[in-house]
Amino acid sequence: MRLRYSFRLYPNHAQRSALARAFGCARVVFNDVVRAREAARAAGVPFPKVGELSTSLITQAKQTEARSWLGEVSVVVLQQSLRDAEMAYKNFFASLKGERKGPRLGAPKLKSRKDARQSIRFTSNARWSITDSGRLNLPKIGAVKVKWSRTLPSAPTSVTVIQDAAGRYFASFVIDTAPGTDAARMPDTEHQSGIDLGLTHFAILDDGTKISSPRFLRRAEKKLKKVQRELSRKQKGSKNRGKARLKVARAYAQVADARREFHHQLSTKLIRENQAIGVEDLAVNGLARTGLAKSVHDAGWSQFVALLAYKAERYGRTLIKIGRFVPTSQTCSYCDHVDGPKPLHVREWTCPACGALLDRDINSACNVKKAAGLAVPACGAPIRPEPVLAQRDEAGSHGFPPEACAA
């Protein structure tokens, strides 16, 4: 399995200038590819091939006076930027044809130096390395200081240097993990859980465990309002406005980092303790258009479920997503009686069929587990048995004449 490991970089003043040049050169090559594609489309001629674009926009461009500064950065950075543009067009056309899952993608647009995120990528051809002292040695940039929070499990195949909106630098390494090593880290277990995601409590397990929602954005609202108010009072184009913008970006980055850390810790804990997990496929985009939009975004359900999915695949666990239209909050988990929808302020209710007193969240978690086929009744057999291939004598029309089948 291929994963990314990200670490904080601390370049000095000269290295920051070199990285800025590399970001700018990569951005120029990407924009040149977009302009060449648009010019070919307007002229009605076939799109130029990757080799033609590499020759004209990189090799020949460096020999001209207008683009001579492209030679100040590693050629691998320019080649990878060209490949990124080609991949963006490939995904765009695949989305138009319906061959790509997910929402419809738009055509690639020109990049700006004011974009919140700048990045460059070095492959093994760039001959980058990690020094004995733990620094990241990049071609034409130098040995950059790295804050190693953990050791890399294997040798990385490429590294991407990223600058975010808060002015921080990160090195993202691509690592190929070994399945045997991952299986040894998390041995198999017999425990299974159903999880109900909410706003009052972030996650509720079928065994009654309730995990409180940290509400990182709500807790930081006072600070965010203050720094945003200061930004609005600064004159546009001034240096003080640039400093205020950094303060706002850093405040939001702290919220996002805290939320991501919480999601990582909780998802790892659940994956370690459970062999199979059932979750509900929530319509986050629809909920984000309601009055609960801020709370929904603050919870970050999509990011949490995505972390559960990749960790389940990595460690040999099973993650089952049930349909969003399954009435988990309307069904009694004891007798399966459907009692109809209930307003959000109703947190407990009594089943009219069996008389059981039900907690809304715990009941939903139990129903999620049932719908995922993870619950076990008293006889010990699973509710949803494993699929079995049909026998030879079970297939077909069982010897009935075609007239009867047609009728």
Side-chain angles (χ1 to χ4, degrees):
M1 187 175 182
R2 182 166 294 181
L3 299 176
R4 285 189 175 273
Y5 283 70
S6 183
F7 302 92
R8 183 77 180 270
L9 293 180
Y10 294 92
N12 55 33
H13 181 72
Q15 292 168 349
R16 287 196 296 268
S17 300
L19 286 172
R21 286 194 299 269
F23 292 145
C25 292
R27 185 173 59 249
V28 166
V29 171
F30 185 95
N31 292 342
D32 288 345
V33 174
V34 174
R35 293 190 187 97
R37 286 270 193 169
E38 291 298 321
R41 184 184 64 85
V45 298
F47 288 147
K49 304 296 183 181
V50 179
E52 299 174 0
L53 293 174
S54 177
T55 302
S56 59
L57 301 182
I58 297 178
T59 306
Q60 296 178 357
K62 289 192 294 186
Q63 300 174 1
T64 63
E65 184 178 356
R67 291 283 193 269
S68 59
W69 34 264
L70 289 177
E72 299 178 2
V73 301
S74 173
V75 68
V76 175
V77 171
L78 308 180
Q79 292 288 351
Q80 293 301 312
S81 181
L82 189 149
R83 292 181 180 274
D84 289 343
E86 288 296 316
M87 183 57 66
Y89 274 103
K90 182 179 179 181
N91 294 335
F92 167 61
F93 290 127
S95 179
L96 284 181
K97 297 177 182 178
E99 300 173 355
R100 189 179 190 275
K101 296 181 180 180
R104 182 69 63 87
L105 296 180
K109 299 180 180 179
L110 299 177
K111 292 185 177 182
S112 172
R113 63 181 180 86
K114 296 182 180 180
D115 289 344
R117 185 181 184 274
Q118 305 285 344
S119 65
I120 53 176
R121 185 167 61 254
F122 296 90
T123 59
S124 56
N125 296 333
R127 297 181 181 180
W128 60 272
S129 61
I130 300 176
T131 63
D132 296 336
S133 59
R135 290 177 176 262
L136 179 61
N137 192 8
L138 301 174
K140 296 190 177 182
I141 294 177
V144 185
K145 181 181 177 182
V146 185
K147 181 66 174 179
W148 298 102
S149 57
R150 51 185 169 175
T151 58
L152 295 174
S154 61
T157 58
S158 66
V159 59
T160 303
V161 180
I162 304 169
Q163 183 185 17
D164 63 0
R168 303 177 300 177
Y169 295 87
F170 296 91
S172 179
F173 298 92
V174 176
I175 302 294
D176 291 326
T177 61
T181 305
D182 295 336
R185 289 181 57 187
M186 290 191 182
D188 293 343
T189 178
E190 297 181 356
H191 196 265
Q192 300 173 344
S193 289
I195 303 176
D196 177 64
L197 300 177
L199 296 177
T200 305
H201 293 87
F202 179 78
I204 301 92
L205 308 185
D206 62 285
D207 60 358
T209 303
K210 294 186 177 181
I211 302 171
S212 301
S213 179
R215 300 182 180 181
F216 297 104
L217 181 63
R218 295 287 187 180
R219 292 190 301 176
E221 275 187 329
K222 185 176 181 180
K223 179 181 179 181
L224 293 174
K225 289 179 181 179
K226 179 181 178 181
V227 294
Q228 286 176 330
R229 190 182 304 114
E230 294 176 355
L231 174 63
S232 65
R233 293 172 178 173
K234 297 296 186 292
Q235 184 178 0
K236 292 185 178 181
S238 63
K239 292 185 177 180
N240 287 335
R241 184 177 178 84
K243 296 177 182 178
R245 187 200 63 79
L246 278 179
K247 286 184 179 180
V248 174
R250 288 168 183 165
Y252 275 103
Q254 289 178 357
V255 175
D257 291 345
R259 183 188 299 114
R260 190 182 304 109
E261 180 68 15
F262 169 74
H263 287 167
H264 268 293
Q265 292 182 358
L266 180 58
S267 60
T268 302
K269 180 178 182 294
L270 293 175
I271 290 295
R272 181 184 294 112
E273 296 176 353
N274 299 278
Q275 186 66 28
I277 298 176
V279 294
E280 188 175 3
D281 186 17
L282 297 173
V284 178
N285 291 335
L287 293 172
R289 292 193 292 267
T290 64
L292 301 174
K294 184 180 289 187
S295 298
V296 169
H297 286 303
D298 192 10
W301 292 329
S302 297
Q303 177 179 261
F304 176 71
V305 174
L307 293 179
L308 280 177
Y310 99 81
K311 291 180 181 180
E313 180 183 358
R314 179 182 181 184
Y315 297 110
R317 301 314 202 226
T318 302
L319 179 68
I320 303 174
K321 297 180 182 180
I322 69 170
R324 63 189 61 172
F325 299 107
V326 178
T328 56
S329 61
Q330 306 174 19
T331 306
C332 175
S333 58
Y334 291 94
C335 65
D336 295 335
H337 173 73
V338 181
D339 195 28
K342 300 168 184 60
L344 291 177
H345 69 270
V346 177
R347 309 315 302 175
E348 290 185 353
W349 55 285
T350 302
C351 177
C354 65
L357 180 62
L358 303 172
D359 181 278
R360 183 189 185 108
D361 298 328
I362 300 177
N363 179 72
S364 297
C366 294
N367 288 328
V368 168
K369 186 176 182 179
K370 281 186 178 181
L374 303 179
V376 179
C379 61
I383 290 180
R384 180 184 296 174
E386 294 293 331
V388 180
L389 293 177
Q391 301 299 320
R392 187 177 185 87
D393 56 352
E394 295 179 359
S397 60
H398 300 278
F400 291 106
E403 293 80 6
C405 293

